[in-house]
Amino acid sequence: MRAGHCFTVELAQPFNQAMETFRKALAAEGFCLVSEVDPKAVFTGGIDMDEKHGPQRKLLGICHTQLASMMSTAEPEMAAVLLGGGVASQTPSGRTRFALQDPLVIAGQIDDMPTRQACQQTHQLLRRVIDRLILMGD
């Protein structure tokens, strides 16, 4: 599925198993998971991390090395936005939900054509990751 700013998918898998499925789907399309942040361990006070977000939740940093290289070569300042953001969270029913930033949101703000094309290609590859997750996750 695609909301206006991100792709979302829910897997009928417990959190740790779904994270492994996610890593495999990313790798199959040339992506790597470069960061996993437990918000409960990092954010103290001010940010509500109660049970409505599920007992397990991770903020994710995703990168496609080849496309990141292409983007930063075309526009060096793009290093500031090379990592795609995402979140994985366990639902109250025990499923795992992923939401991944859609690079087309960034592409709409960029005038440089090679960088815009790299964002569009990343969008297509992330769509394939979501499709793989749907096939692998249930």
Side-chain angles (χ1 to χ4, degrees):
M1 288 185 193
R2 182 176 178 273
H5 61 285
C6 65
F7 296 104
T8 60
V9 64
E10 236 179 64
L11 304 184
Q13 295 179 351
F15 191 81
N16 291 335
Q17 181 184 353
M19 286 299 298
E20 191 55 39
T21 300
F22 181 65
R23 284 184 194 90
K24 289 177 184 175
L26 285 174
E29 297 299 336
F31 289 92
C32 60
L33 187 58
V34 296
S35 65
E36 298 179 41
V37 177
D38 177 356
K40 289 181 183 177
V42 176
F43 302 122
T44 56
I47 296 181
D48 182 18
M49 289 291 147
D50 64 12
E51 291 303 310
K52 76 177 180 181
H53 296 296
Q56 294 191 46
R57 182 176 171 103
K58 287 189 180 181
L59 305 177
L60 309 171
I62 303 158
C63 187
H64 192 287
T65 311
Q66 184 179 13
L67 291 173
S69 175
M70 197 167 89
M71 288 170 69
S72 63
T73 299
E75 187 175 328
E77 291 80 18
M78 284 305 295
V81 293
L82 286 178
L83 288 184
V87 64
S89 49
Q90 185 177 4
T91 67
S93 65
R95 296 170 62 91
T96 304
R97 179 179 173 84
F98 292 91
L100 308 177
Q101 172 189 333
D102 185 348
L104 288 184
V105 174
I106 295 170
Q109 306 300 314
I110 297 170
D111 293 327
D112 180 72
M113 189 51 71
T115 304
R116 183 177 290 176
Q117 289 171 338
C119 288
Q120 291 168 342
Q121 188 174 357
T122 305
H123 166 89
Q124 292 168 351
L125 291 170
L126 281 175
R127 177 69 247 179
R128 288 171 43 177
V129 168
I130 295 297
D131 291 344
R132 283 181 184 278
L133 286 170
I134 291 168
L135 293 173
M136 297 166 74
D138 286 323

